[in-house]
Amino acid sequence: MISTVICGHFQITIFFGKTAIGSIASLIDGIPQSCDQDGDMITSMNWFLSLSDRWNTLPVVVLLHRDRNPFGALLLHGTKFGSVPIGTFRAGYLCGRGGVVGKTGAYSTIIEYGTEALIKSKFAHTVIVTSMLQDNERPVSLDEGVRTSFSRNWQFHETRSRLPLTGGMDGLLSRFSQKMRKNFRYYKKRAEIDIGCVFHPSLSSTQAISAVEQLQGVSVRSVKLKSALQRQRAIADQPGSFSMGLIDKSGDWVSYLSGWRQRKTCVVEWQLNHEDGNNASISMAMRHFFLEHEIANGMEEVIFLAGTTPIWSRVCEPQLCSEYLATPDGFMGSVVRGIYGFLHPNGKVSQLTRKHRVLLKSKYLSVFVVLCGINIVVGARVCSCVL
């Protein structure tokens, strides 16, 4: 299904479902080329549509045109109950990547107007977009005179998912604390000597499937085998894909890591580890083998697409991440947010709503304090004049 909406000075077309999106896939994939972002596979249509298959979501692309030229696009996933969309849409990984296509400086414009069009289409009541923003960028307001029927707010936080590799192994180790440097070396040596691990930097398709089959049930975040193999196939279909692993002296897989390389960037999408009491440090050992290999092959940075553990996030570069929440205004908005708060008190909508209320209270309190201060100063001057 395709819907067209005029919003401000943009002509916006909304494509619902894989068939409609397939008709403009090459156009969307061409936008990064005009923005000097060619080669970013995180926003490629093949990857985006593969995620909708894995997550059982309704894929939606909101395409913005200005003066008949593509300006940008939102890549959203609609939550479904069974096979029926329920009006909630999300864009972007938690690290802020993968939800917006276009010039980085125009992300907030694309988000604001794209969301406005989606809600005008009557197919959405709640939209969440997570994106990376430049430090000097500020969210835009919709054109004067545009009456919106929804409540929207921006919230910002620091995210750490990008690990620079410039400077080689010495440069990488300089980012670590003394304790982490010690553990980094120790756990690799322990994996080699005590467990008898052998590092395989490039797995065949058969090896990758075998590793996933062995590890998906014993890793911390185990999933159904069908879903795990579907994820492995989606990564393998990406241009520049890779998979690597550690095998112990018994011939069993103890760690698996996969993703893809784009130019000088290595994107890590997935890591599985055999997390029992004896192999609790295997994840650190695998990271050592992996990073050593990528540095030797000239990679300049690693992106942990699905996030990483606190110990690794501390050595990653801080970047500004925005979270944009749009819900209905007035009574209907209160009902929607109330339902989310009851059914999913720890969900993203509930979290962002609570943060927004705290920010509003702080803002009103600040205004109240300023007004009180002004009244005190004015009253003091009046008293001095009278005396």
Side-chain angles (χ1 to χ4, degrees):
M1 186 175 63
I2 301 174
S3 175
T4 301
V5 179
I6 301 298
C7 187
H9 46 278
F10 293 103
Q11 179 182 2
I12 303 176
T13 308
I14 308 172
F15 300 84
F16 296 89
K18 295 181 67 173
T19 302
I21 293 171
S23 65
I24 46 94
S26 59
L27 175 62
I28 301 297
D29 284 336
I31 294 177
Q33 298 177 11
S34 63
C35 305
D36 297 324
Q37 300 171 357
D38 189 22
D40 184 6
M41 307 300 354
I42 301 173
T43 56
S44 70
M45 287 296 95
N46 283 340
W47 181 249
F48 170 65
L49 294 176
S50 74
L51 291 178
S52 70
D53 290 336
R54 279 169 43 197
W55 297 344
N56 187 32
T57 58
L58 172 67
V60 175
V61 171
V62 182
L63 176 61
L64 287 74
H65 279 86
R66 187 166 67 180
D67 299 328
R68 298 184 179 181
N69 295 315
F71 182 81
L74 276 181
L75 312 181
L76 300 118
H77 293 276
T79 304
K80 294 193 294 185
F81 182 76
S83 59
V84 180
I86 62 173
T88 301
F89 293 84
R90 292 193 61 170
Y93 282 85
L94 294 179
C95 67
R97 295 176 172 83
V100 187
V101 182
K103 293 182 178 179
T104 306
Y107 274 13
S108 61
T109 303
I110 295 169
I111 293 170
E112 282 271 2
Y113 285 94
T115 301
E116 170 80 351
L118 184 58
I119 291 186
K120 275 186 174 181
S121 72
K122 307 299 183 182
F123 287 100
H125 56 71
T126 304
V127 180
I128 302 173
V129 182
T130 308
S131 65
M132 304 292 298
L133 296 179
Q134 295 177 342
D135 291 341
N136 59 353
E137 184 181 6
R138 292 294 179 268
V140 301
S141 296
L142 295 174
D143 290 344
E144 292 294 329
V146 176
R147 296 177 62 86
T148 61
S149 58
F150 65 99
S151 171
R152 62 194 190 280
N153 70 82
W154 290 87
Q155 296 178 32
F156 302 90
H157 67 271
E158 182 182 273
T159 184
R160 292 171 178 262
S161 59
R162 174 181 170 270
L163 180 62
L165 300 181
T166 52
M169 206 64 179
D170 291 338
L172 175 64
L173 292 174
S174 68
R175 307 179 70 88
F176 295 179
S177 66
Q178 183 178 355
K179 181 179 179 180
M180 186 173 177
R181 282 196 297 270
K182 180 181 178 181
N183 289 340
F184 192 59
R185 296 187 181 102
Y186 168 75
Y187 288 134
K188 180 197 176 187
K189 184 180 295 185
R190 178 177 179 270
E192 290 177 313
I193 298 174
D194 295 348
I195 306 176
C197 288
V198 177
F199 176 58
H200 292 261
S202 181
L203 304 184
S204 66
S205 176
T206 302
Q207 288 176 316
I209 292 173
S210 175
V212 171
E213 288 177 340
Q214 286 188 36
L215 294 172
Q216 58 85 25
V218 294
S219 64
V220 173
R221 297 179 180 178
S222 62
V223 296
K224 293 181 179 179
L225 179 58
K226 180 180 178 181
S227 299
L229 292 176
Q230 189 177 30
R231 184 174 185 176
Q232 185 272 330
R233 285 193 299 270
I235 297 172
D237 289 341
Q238 282 283 81
S241 65
F242 67 86
S243 58
M244 51 185 69
L246 285 179
I247 196 166
D248 66 13
K249 56 189 175 185
S250 301
D252 296 324
W253 293 101
V254 293
S255 187
Y256 168 84
L257 187 147
S258 62
W260 59 87
R261 302 181 183 94
Q262 48 191 47
R263 294 184 177 179
K264 293 294 184 179
T265 298
C266 180
V267 179
V268 175
E269 209 282 333
W270 198 16
Q271 182 172 352
L272 290 171
N273 304 297
H274 193 291
E275 299 288 2
D276 62 17
N278 296 322
N279 292 350
S281 60
I282 206 68
S283 175
M284 180 71 82
M286 183 63 187
R287 291 285 174 92
H288 193 298
F289 286 108
F290 158 68
L291 291 170
E292 195 172 47
H293 180 269
E294 296 308 301
I295 290 172
N297 282 275
M299 292 293 106
E300 296 179 355
E301 64 176 3
V302 173
I303 302 296
F304 296 104
L305 193 55
T308 188
T309 58
I311 189 172
W312 280 98
S313 65
R314 286 195 291 270
V315 302
C316 290
E317 283 291 297
Q319 293 176 291
L320 182 65
C321 183
S322 74
E323 290 183 305
Y324 176 85
L325 171 65
T327 55
D329 209 355
F331 174 74
M332 183 57 66
S334 299
V335 172
V336 169
R337 290 186 289 272
I339 292 174
Y340 274 111
F342 177 75
L343 296 178
H344 302 286
N346 297 318
K348 182 59 69 174
V349 174
S350 301
Q351 291 176 16
L352 293 178
T353 299
R354 286 194 295 269
K355 288 181 182 178
H356 184 53
R357 287 172 180 167
V358 171
L359 290 174
L360 285 179
K361 288 180 181 178
S362 300
K363 180 179 178 180
Y364 293 148
L365 181 60
S366 299
V367 172
F368 176 74
V369 171
V370 170
L371 291 176
C372 288
I374 292 173
N375 287 332
I376 291 172
V377 172
V378 173
R381 289 184 177 179
V382 170
C383 289
S384 63
C385 291
V386 172
L387 294 175

